[in-house]
Amino acid sequence: MNKKVGIQGIKGSFHHLVAMDYFHKEVEVMEHLSFHELAQKLAQRETTEAVMAIENSIAGSILPNYALIDEYDLKVVGEHYTPVNMNLMALEGQKIEDIKKVFSHPMALLQCKEFFKKHPHIKLIEDADTAEAAKRISEEGLKKTAAVASPAAAEMYGLEILAREIHTIKSNATRFLVLGNEMKKPNGEMLDKASIKFDLKSERGSLVSLLNIIRDCYLDMTKIQSLPVIDEPWKYSFFVDVIFEKPEDFQKAMDVLKLMTEDLKILGIYKNNLS
Ligand SMILES: O=C(O)C(=O)C[C@]1(C(=O)O)C=C[C@@H](O)C=C1
């Protein structure tokens, strides 16, 4: 079966660039204008995989996406890290002084906060997607309006770049997850990273004890993220990523964590792509 890969946004978005990179262009891309729709269509098997941003080095974690992965019971089958290059673009001939409004994805606007502090006359408006904002400006001939998006989007939708690389820190990067409906099969490849989720009772030292197990089983924790359990105030779910050398070590840790936590869920075992 041909792969149908869901992305948040349209062609020219960062999700699109990642899908092309990760799957080497041999896929049909399905565009979605929200993360919710992206998760839902994968769960309904209208797509075979989905690419989902989960964290940016400047703007931080995209918390609702953790909840979507959990809610729709999606599996992490891969990850991809990519440098993110934000640019201000508008119709040809427009000058930065002419621009009154800028549309972009909220995560993109967050990455360019310092640039816009220097241009206080510009109103920032959150949009569903970076590339979609660029396309609309082009198609509707919107003057005095700009988008923040990738150089690929400027080229694709015929806009002029008024300011290049406007993200606050030059090493700006986003981590994307590749999601599926089933756990990844190793197919001879060494899978050395896992994402897990569990709830913890608020008891003295419960998190410390759990972290000790992770250390004692030789797992290297690369990320821990807590999320409130919405129907039980002050109780938290934890999403943890670990890398390991031996799958047996991971299995051993899971056997112990199962006894120490509530609702332990393995969200996926995949190949570590962080070098
Ligand atoms: O709007 C896009 O182009 C996206 O792909 C979304 C998104 C995000 O959700 O973080 C992806 C990468 C960048 O960090 C900024 C925006």
Side-chain angles (χ1 to χ4, degrees), residues 1-5 26-30 46-49:
M1 184 178 59
N2 267 353
K3 280 185 190 293
K4 272 192 181 179
V5 177
E26 294 146 3
V27 290
E28 188 182 346
V29 162
M30 311 298 283
E46 287 190 26
T47 50
T48 53
E49 274 101 354

Side-chain angles (χ1 to χ4, degrees), residues 8 21 23 33 36 42 53 66 116 150 211 268:
Q8 135 74 44
D21 231 21
F23 292 101
L33 283 184
H36 186 250
L42 175 61
Y66 283 94
F116 288 111
S150 67
L211 296 178

Side-chain angles (χ1 to χ4, degrees), residues 31-81:
E31 301 171 335
H32 304 294
L33 283 184
S34 72
F35 283 119
H36 186 250
E37 186 184 294
L38 177 74
Q40 200 178 36
K41 296 293 178 191
L42 175 61
Q44 292 167 348
R45 297 180 191 249
E46 287 190 26
T47 50
T48 53
E49 274 101 354
V51 173
M52 181 187 263
I54 196 76
E55 184 174 358
N56 172 264
S57 56
I58 302 176
S61 291
I62 308 180
L63 292 181
N65 287 357
Y66 283 94
L68 285 172
I69 293 169
D70 189 29
E71 179 187 341
Y72 285 99
D73 213 9
L74 304 176
K75 299 287 175 274
V76 184
V77 297
E79 64 172 2
H80 193 78
Y81 294 81

Side-chain angles (χ1 to χ4, degrees), residues 189-247:
E189 198 180 22
M190 169 65 187
L191 305 182
D192 54 358
K193 186 164 189 174
S195 296
I196 62 172
K197 183 242 158 180
F198 50 83
D199 293 354
L200 262 193
K201 277 195 217 112
S202 162
E203 277 170 7
R204 195 160 65 94
S206 58
L207 184 59
V208 172
S209 311
L210 182 136
L211 296 178
N212 283 336
I213 302 295
I214 289 181
R215 179 200 54 200
D216 293 348
C217 291
Y218 309 107
L219 308 183
D220 179 1
M221 187 172 76
T222 55
K223 165 100 188 176
I224 182 164
Q225 180 70 59
S226 68
L227 222 62
V229 177
I230 47 173
D231 49 0
E232 287 180 69
W234 324 125
K235 188 173 171 184
Y236 295 89
S237 292
F238 290 86
F239 291 79
V240 168
D241 294 335
V242 289
I243 47 179
F244 45 86
E245 281 177 14
K246 297 185 188 149

Side-chain angles (χ1 to χ4, degrees), residues 48-252:
T48 53
E49 274 101 354
V51 173
M52 181 187 263
I54 196 76
E55 184 174 358
N56 172 264
S57 56
I58 302 176
S61 291
I62 308 180
L63 292 181
N65 287 357
Y66 283 94
L68 285 172
I69 293 169
D70 189 29
E71 179 187 341
Y72 285 99
D73 213 9
L74 304 176
K75 299 287 175 274
V76 184
V77 297
E79 64 172 2
H80 193 78
Y81 294 81
T82 199
V84 171
N85 174 356
M86 294 297 179
N87 305 272
L88 187 72
M89 56 194 71
L91 292 175
E92 218 166 290
Q94 295 280 291
K95 299 269 166 301
I96 200 160
E97 306 78 60
D98 305 329
I99 303 298
K100 300 265 183 293
K101 288 185 275 186
V102 167
F103 289 89
S104 198
H105 190 278
M107 287 306 277
L109 293 175
L110 276 173
Q111 292 163 37
C112 306
K113 249 165 101 180
E114 295 305 316
F115 175 85
F116 288 111
K117 269 192 201 162
K118 292 185 211 125
H119 300 277
H121 69 286
I122 296 179
K123 186 171 179 208
L124 302 181
I125 304 170
E126 295 189 353
D127 212 321
D129 179 37
T130 55
E132 217 267 328
K135 186 179 181 202
R136 212 175 50 243
I137 291 171
S138 169
E139 284 184 353
E140 297 178 17
L142 300 177
K143 294 199 175 135
K144 301 182 179 180
T145 307
V148 172
S150 67
E155 204 178 311
M156 225 173 252
Y157 303 112
L159 296 184
E160 192 178 331
I161 296 187
L162 307 186
R164 287 186 187 274
E165 304 194 356
I166 61 168
H167 41 280
T168 303
I169 291 169
K170 291 307 153 210
S171 58
N172 188 27
T174 299
R175 179 185 181 216
F176 290 81
L177 297 179
V178 182
L179 303 170
N181 282 306
E182 276 92 38
M183 294 286 268
K184 186 173 172 63
K185 298 195 180 71
N187 290 332
E189 198 180 22
M190 169 65 187
L191 305 182
D192 54 358
K193 186 164 189 174
S195 296
I196 62 172
K197 183 242 158 180
F198 50 83
D199 293 354
L200 262 193
K201 277 195 217 112
S202 162
E203 277 170 7
R204 195 160 65 94
S206 58
L207 184 59
V208 172
S209 311
L210 182 136
L211 296 178
N212 283 336
I213 302 295
I214 289 181
R215 179 200 54 200
D216 293 348
C217 291
Y218 309 107
L219 308 183
D220 179 1
M221 187 172 76
T222 55
K223 165 100 188 176
I224 182 164
Q225 180 70 59
S226 68
L227 222 62
V229 177
I230 47 173
D231 49 0
E232 287 180 69
W234 324 125
K235 188 173 171 184
Y236 295 89
S237 292
F238 290 86
F239 291 79
V240 168
D241 294 335
V242 289
I243 47 179
F244 45 86
E245 281 177 14
K246 297 185 188 149
E248 312 85 88
D249 289 340
F250 175 68
Q251 199 44 59
K252 197 163 140 198

